[in-house]
Amino acid sequence: MIPFWTTVLLDLAADDHAGGQAFWAAVTGYEVSAPRGEDGEFTTLVPPHGDDVLKVQRRGEGPSRLHLDLHVADPAAAADRAVLLGARIVVRHELDYVVLTSPAGIPFCFVTHPASQRPAPARWGEAASLVDQVCLDVPASSYEAECAFWEQVTGFEGVPARLPQFRRVRGPAGQPVRFLVQRLADDGPAGAHLDLAATDRAAEVERHLALGAEVEHVDDFWTVLRDPGGLRYCVTGRDPFTGDVSA
């Protein structure tokens, strides 16, 4: 059961929620929707054109993190299959979605909401950028099993990446979010972070700094930053229109 869409949720700690939501709206150029949920804890970052890819949730407790929503026709059946592949069901909701964790502990959901049109990159003068990738950060001891899990649970193709510590889980054309799995050097907890593709990485990083981000590390192909609440993410030198490495 191949997902027809993927949404990334920024699960922000209560103290980080307001600032984090404003930051990511400014970074992407998306509008913040009206809040929804029992306590107004959910919003969507709505692109000018195309279907949404990013949502925000205010957590009741715990630190900020990411989770993935995999959109499928039958969440219950997809969840049952995921359990056979090593996932754990956290809770089944009456409103047709199921919350799970991967074998390494990365949270995700199966949902049904329709979507099909990939957002276009945002233009910033002569430059452009797009949130288009989620990187799953996996301890070395769980890496091979976690790669196999995400390939099997999505039905996407696993392919080598440019660097040996990464593996791509490549979905069909039209998917709004690319999957990358990173093998961590230590056995800390598994997690996930966002990657942006930018035509001008240096200019994009400067734009983020002006919005309140901080640089943590600069690599040949990406810059690691933290948003105002401390959530780590990367700006990469990939083409936001094709996803190809351009620098």
Side-chain angles (χ1 to χ4, degrees):
M1 187 178 297
I2 296 177
F4 59 83
W5 195 257
T6 303
T7 303
V8 182
L9 278 90
L10 297 157
D11 299 328
L12 301 180
D15 290 345
D16 302 332
H17 175 261
Q21 179 173 265
F23 173 81
W24 285 101
V27 160
T28 57
Y30 297 170
E31 295 288 333
V32 180
S33 73
R36 61 190 181 279
E38 292 183 3
D39 298 312
E41 69 272 29
F42 291 103
T43 54
T44 298
L45 300 184
V46 183
H49 306 286
D51 292 313
D52 58 84
V53 175
L54 288 173
K55 296 183 179 180
V56 179
Q57 176 177 206
R58 185 182 64 250
R59 298 193 74 185
E61 58 183 20
S64 296
R65 65 176 191 185
L66 301 186
H67 86 259
L68 301 174
D69 278 1
L70 304 180
H71 298 232
V72 295
D74 188 338
D80 290 341
R81 179 174 176 273
V83 168
L84 296 177
L85 295 171
R88 182 176 69 87
I89 291 178
V90 178
V91 62
R92 291 183 185 266
H93 285 267
E94 296 178 359
L95 299 177
D96 298 325
Y97 67 98
V98 185
V99 182
L100 307 95
T101 58
S102 74
I106 296 172
F108 70 102
C109 298
F110 286 114
V111 303
T112 60
H113 319 309
S116 60
Q117 185 179 354
R118 189 172 183 265
R123 297 278 188 178
W124 314 102
E126 296 182 357
S129 65
L130 179 69
V131 175
D132 72 337
Q133 182 168 274
V134 63
C135 183
L136 307 176
D137 304 313
V138 181
S141 60
S142 306
Y143 179 74
E144 294 298 336
E146 192 74 359
C147 285
F149 171 80
W150 286 101
E151 292 167 19
Q152 293 171 335
V153 83
T154 60
F156 295 171
E157 180 187 16
V159 294
R162 184 170 184 170
L163 298 175
Q165 69 268 37
F166 295 100
R167 185 168 178 82
R168 298 200 180 281
V169 182
R170 186 169 60 193
Q175 281 284 337
V177 177
R178 297 157 57 98
F179 284 75
L180 186 68
V181 189
Q182 177 178 205
R183 183 180 62 247
L184 300 177
D186 56 39
D187 278 336
H193 71 264
L194 284 176
D195 289 343
L196 291 87
T199 56
D200 186 333
R201 177 162 57 117
E204 182 72 5
V205 168
E206 288 302 317
R207 191 174 69 84
H208 289 220
L209 295 179
L211 294 170
E214 295 183 356
V215 170
E216 182 175 287
H217 175 71
V218 179
D219 195 270
D220 290 342
F221 303 109
W222 61 81
T223 301
V224 183
L225 301 98
R226 287 186 181 270
D227 75 5
L231 198 63
R232 182 183 286 112
Y233 68 99
C234 295
V235 174
T236 75
R238 292 179 296 105
D239 186 326
F241 296 92
T242 67
D244 295 336
V245 175
S246 57

